[in-house]
Amino acid sequence: MKLLFVFTIILISNIACSQKNDKKTTQATSIHVGGSCEGCEAIHESPVSFDSLTNVLWLPGWNDQGRKLEVNGVVYKADGTPAPNVIIYVYHTDQTGVYPTKGDEKGWGKRHGYLRGWMKTNEKGEYKFFTLRPAAYPGRKDPEHIHVTIKEPDKNEYWIDEYVFDDDPLLTDKQRKNLEDRGGSGILKVKNAENMLKAERNIYLGKNIPDYPKV
Ligand SMILES: [Fe+2]
C-alpha cells in the first residue's frame, strides 16, 4: 500500500512537471515564441480577467504552517526598460512535495493543484508574491521549485526558468549547469527577514527564449 502511495506521488509529480517537454503549443498571437509548452495555457485560467489582476499576489495556503516566502522583482523588456502589464502565473508543491488538490479543480488545476496564482506587473514592471516555500518531491532528486509562465501583452504565453533556491542541497552543480536561463536566472538567494524568507528575481523578457523577436 505504501509502495502504491509513493508510486502515485511520483506519477503525479512527473505529470505536473512536464511543462518543458510536451509537443502541444498554444497559438495566442501571430508570432509564437518560446517553443512548445505543455500547460502554459493554464495562464488563461485566472479566476479574474487579466485587466483585474494586480502586481501583488498572496497564494492560497499563506496562513498554513511552513516557511513563509516573499518573492519580488522587476520584469524588463529586451530594450532594458520596465515591462508593464506582463501576466505571471506561478504554481508549486505543498509542504509535502505534492501538487495538492481539493477535488473540485477544473482544467490545469487538476494537475497544478490549488497552490497557484496570477499577477500582472505594474507600470514599473514590478511584481511580488507571498507563499510558503515549497518542499521537494518526496523520494526524488529534483530541487524545490516554483513553476512560472509569463505572457506579454502582444505575445503568446511561454515558460521561463523555474524559481529554485540557492541554498537547496538538491540544487547541485549538475542541476545548475542544466538550467537554461530562460528569462534570466531563477535561482533565488533567500534572506531571513521579519520571520519570513525574502528573495528577488528580475525577469528579462526574451532572454534565451526561442523565436523571440530581435530588438
Ligand atoms: Fe514541478
Side-chain angles (χ1 to χ4, degrees), residues 161-176:
D161 271 24
E162 297 158 4
Y163 295 87
V164 290
F165 299 87
D166 193 49
D167 62 359
D168 181 356
L170 291 171
L171 188 63
T172 61
D173 288 345
K174 185 179 176 185
Q175 289 270 0
R176 291 169 195 259

Side-chain angles (χ1 to χ4, degrees), residues 100-107 109-110 113-114 116:
T101 56
K102 293 179 177 174
D104 60 351
E105 285 78 13
K106 294 182 170 51
K110 295 175 183 173
Y114 61 81
R116 62 180 187 156

Side-chain angles (χ1 to χ4, degrees), residues 198-210:
K198 288 190 176 183
E200 180 179 285
R201 178 197 184 174
N202 295 334
I203 294 170
Y204 302 91
L205 298 176
K207 185 171 183 182
N208 297 320
I209 303 300

Side-chain angles (χ1 to χ4, degrees), residues 34 37 49 52 74 149 173 189 194 203:
C37 178
S49 70
S52 301
V74 175
T149 301
D173 288 345
K189 294 184 177 176
E194 301 165 21
I203 294 170

Side-chain angles (χ1 to χ4, degrees), residues 119-138:
M119 304 154 265
K120 182 179 68 178
T121 57
N122 66 11
E123 287 303 308
K124 297 178 180 175
E126 297 167 329
Y127 75 95
K128 181 185 292 187
F129 64 90
F130 296 87
T131 194
L132 300 184
R133 179 169 168 172
Y137 301 144

Side-chain angles (χ1 to χ4, degrees), residues 53-210:
L53 292 172
T54 65
N55 71 314
V56 181
L57 166 71
W58 274 266
L59 274 84
W62 169 249
N63 291 316
D64 294 346
Q65 288 287 320
R67 299 166 293 177
K68 294 193 185 302
L69 170 69
E70 174 195 312
V71 178
N72 71 83
V74 175
V75 180
Y76 290 101
K77 297 178 185 175
D79 66 6
T81 59
N85 301 316
V86 176
I87 309 300
I88 304 173
Y89 168 67
V90 293
Y91 70 97
H92 62 75
T93 56
D94 66 9
Q95 299 301 290
T96 68
V98 302
Y99 296 94
T101 56
K102 293 179 177 174
D104 60 351
E105 285 78 13
K106 294 182 170 51
W108 285 98
K110 295 175 183 173
R111 286 161 67 166
H112 294 179
Y114 61 81
L115 296 180
R116 62 180 187 156
W118 295 258
M119 304 154 265
K120 182 179 68 178
T121 57
N122 66 11
E123 287 303 308
K124 297 178 180 175
E126 297 167 329
Y127 75 95
K128 181 185 292 187
F129 64 90
F130 296 87
T131 194
L132 300 184
R133 179 169 168 172
Y137 301 144
R140 295 266 298 272
K141 293 182 178 178
D142 308 72
E144 302 163 353
H145 61 281
I146 299 172
H147 291 281
V148 52
T149 301
I150 62 174
K151 186 184 182 318
E152 304 170 42
D154 61 345
K155 294 182 179 62
N156 60 278
E157 60 277 8
Y158 59 90
W159 62 272
I160 59 175
D161 271 24
E162 297 158 4
Y163 295 87
V164 290
F165 299 87
D166 193 49
D167 62 359
D168 181 356
L170 291 171
L171 188 63
T172 61
D173 288 345
K174 185 179 176 185
Q175 289 270 0
R176 291 169 195 259
K177 283 177 185 163
N178 287 336
L179 296 173
E180 297 181 46
D181 209 31
R182 287 178 55 130
S185 173
I187 300 175
L188 298 178
K189 294 184 177 176
V190 293
K191 296 176 182 171
N192 283 298
E194 301 165 21
N195 299 320
M196 74 166 77
L197 304 171
K198 288 190 176 183
E200 180 179 285
R201 178 197 184 174
N202 295 334
I203 294 170
Y204 302 91
L205 298 176
K207 185 171 183 182
N208 297 320
I209 303 300

